[in-house]
Amino acid sequence: MPRTPLHVFAPRNTFLARMYVVLALVALAIAGTAVGAQMSKYPGASDYRQKRAFAHAKQKQAQRLLQAAKRAQITTASRRGKRSQPPKPAPPPVTTTTASTTPATTPPPVTTTTTTPAAPNPPPTTPATTTTSPAVTTTAPATTTTTPTTTTTPTTTTTTTTTTTPATTTTTPATTTTSPATTTPAPAASYLFDDEFNGTSLDTSKWTPNWFGGAGPVNSAEAAGYSASHISVGGGYLSLSLTNDSIYSSKLGKTLPYTGALLTTQPSGQFKVTPPYRIEARMYLPASGSNVANWPAFWSNGNSWPTDGENDVMEGLGGDACWHYHSPLGGPGDCASGNLSGWHTFASEVQNGIATYYYDGNKVGSITQGITTSPHYLLLQQSISDHHPETNLLPATVLVDYVRVTRP
């Protein structure tokens, strides 16, 4: 059975403590008198055990009363002494765990990082965890101990901000590095030829309209002749138009039902290139359904055909975008799969007897037969053929964003 703590009977002031001592001494004297009286009842000490047990019980009771009085006096003195004691140093980190009940609203990282320096001068009653009576007064200062803990919240906020910024800063360059692989041009100093079509008219120092000054056409399978009036520059693009206007062809000696456009760097004094080289153009090709419409082309050609070779980088044939290299050995090549109408980049690299073709930066094929080292000039074209009426679209306009020539 649990004992009643002594502090329950402890007096609240010094006067009562002293009275307890006096009462204990009086009780001890009475106990001695009672023992003497009881001893007189047993002449000759016939039952020594019984008399000794009774005397021992009375002495124990008197001793307990005396001890209670002494403890009460010590407790009262210690309570008075604590009020005059100077503040104690900061408690060890273990004692600050009592503050965990109050800062329920603060996040876990705050209590972890700031528990030790939270209270530089805690209340003196905090370490009195061994005594049950002061435990009631400890709860009130515990609330004030948590006040410095909340002031450390900005420290956590600052740390989080500086940590996430590099993360956000570290993920943004990776995206920028991948994009320019196909879109960022080489430095202007490395271009052998470049036209971005940023003016308001065709740069005639670089280009000449039509096929050797006439309406053409280049191929007798074409159903359109060429006119310089179907070529324009504006808004950063070159425009090549195709209409159903008829035009007379002196080359064929007849009138053709459609009018298209062609320009070249052929005349003497304008641009020509020899291997190794890379020629590239970004073009918008009109669509007929899910196919490339009409007969657009981006190519290079030598002075003497087919001896000097013809490199068709992109040629719209029957709705597909195709590449070929023509020479005395033939005209091998192939067509890319899928719908390549709309905006796309078309390029060809010629070096070491190999012509390699890239659409939108992806290799689509290569040719190793009949590749020449002769100088080539550039051509852009918008035409039509009656051999593929299913892809015909009138009127239609091909747009060119740029033409660039570099060394691979």
Side-chain angles (χ1 to χ4, degrees):
M1 181 174 183
R3 297 182 179 179
T4 304
L6 291 176
H7 74 274
V8 174
F9 304 103
R12 296 299 177 181
N13 50 54
T14 309
F15 175 75
L16 292 178
R18 289 174 181 171
M19 290 297 295
Y20 260 40
V21 173
V22 172
L23 290 174
L25 293 176
V26 171
L28 188 59
I30 294 172
T33 307
V35 169
Q38 291 295 330
M39 290 290 292
S40 62
K41 293 180 182 180
Y42 301 94
S46 58
D47 195 353
Y48 176 77
R49 279 186 184 178
Q50 188 174 359
K51 289 189 289 185
R52 181 184 173 116
F54 179 78
H56 181 71
K58 289 296 182 181
Q59 288 175 356
K60 285 292 183 183
Q61 184 178 5
Q63 288 175 0
R64 280 199 300 270
L65 288 173
L66 182 62
Q67 288 175 358
K70 287 181 180 181
R71 285 172 183 167
Q73 187 174 9
I74 292 171
T75 306
T76 307
S78 64
R79 187 180 291 110
R80 279 203 321 266
K82 283 180 182 179
R83 292 194 188 98
S84 59
Q85 287 178 359
K88 292 187 178 181
V94 181
T95 57
T96 55
T97 52
T98 49
S100 61
T101 54
T102 306
T105 55
T106 39
V110 176
T111 51
T112 307
T113 53
T114 58
T115 37
T116 306
N121 243 342
T125 53
T126 306
T129 51
T130 52
T131 311
T132 321
S133 179
V136 184
T137 50
T138 318
T139 342
T143 313
T144 44
T145 310
T146 54
T147 307
T149 310
T150 52
T151 56
T152 55
T153 309
T155 308
T156 310
T157 314
T158 310
T159 310
T160 310
T161 308
T162 48
T163 309
T164 49
T165 305
T168 313
T169 312
T170 316
T171 346
T172 304
T175 313
T176 347
T177 311
T178 15
S179 291
T182 54
T183 59
T184 301
S190 65
Y191 290 146
L192 302 178
F193 178 90
D194 175 37
D195 198 341
E196 305 292 325
F197 304 106
N198 290 326
T200 56
S201 61
L202 183 67
D203 187 349
T204 54
S205 67
K206 298 178 179 179
W207 304 96
T208 298
N210 300 337
W211 178 248
F212 292 97
V218 177
N219 193 314
S220 58
E222 296 179 51
Y226 317 126
S227 172
S229 63
H230 284 51
I231 300 172
S232 63
V233 174
Y237 303 110
L238 167 72
S239 298
L240 304 175
S241 301
L242 176 69
T243 65
N244 55 4
D245 300 316
S246 60
I247 188 172
Y248 179 77
S249 168
S250 57
K251 177 183 176 182
L252 299 179
K254 67 178 183 179
T255 300
L256 299 174
Y258 311 110
T259 301
L262 180 144
L263 64 161
T264 174
T265 63
Q266 160 58 26
S268 178
Q270 290 185 336
F271 178 77
K272 292 181 183 178
V273 64
T274 56
Y277 62 82
R278 175 187 174 92
I279 57 177
E280 178 179 310
R282 182 172 181 259
M283 305 174 66
Y284 172 82
L285 306 180
S288 175
S290 59
N291 301 309
V292 175
N294 306 319
W295 195 349
F298 168 51
W299 50 301
S300 69
N301 198 25
N303 286 334
S304 177
W305 191 93
T307 306
D308 293 339
E310 173 189 332
N311 186 11
D312 297 329
V313 182
M314 187 284 303
E315 186 176 12
L317 297 174
D320 295 325
C322 308
W323 68 92
H324 297 87
Y325 197 100
H326 298 274
S327 74
L329 299 179
D334 204 349
C335 299
S337 59
N339 180 12
L340 286 178
S341 61
W343 281 107
H344 296 280
T345 302
F346 305 100
S348 173
E349 289 184 1
V350 178
Q351 60 179 333
N352 302 323
I354 302 173
T356 307
Y357 301 90
Y358 301 89
Y359 287 3
D360 295 323
N362 301 312
K363 179 181 175 181
V364 292
S366 60
I367 298 172
T368 58
Q369 174 184 308
I371 310 302
T372 72
T373 57
S374 302
H376 276 209
Y377 53 90
L378 309 178
L379 299 101
L380 289 163
Q381 180 180 355
Q382 163 75 309
S383 189
I384 194 171
S385 171
D386 288 333
H387 295 291
H388 300 286
E390 71 280 2
T391 65
N392 290 354
L393 177 68
L394 291 163
T397 300
V398 167
L399 299 178
V400 183
D401 185 16
Y402 62 79
V403 176
R404 298 167 184 163
V405 182
T406 58
R407 294 296 181 194

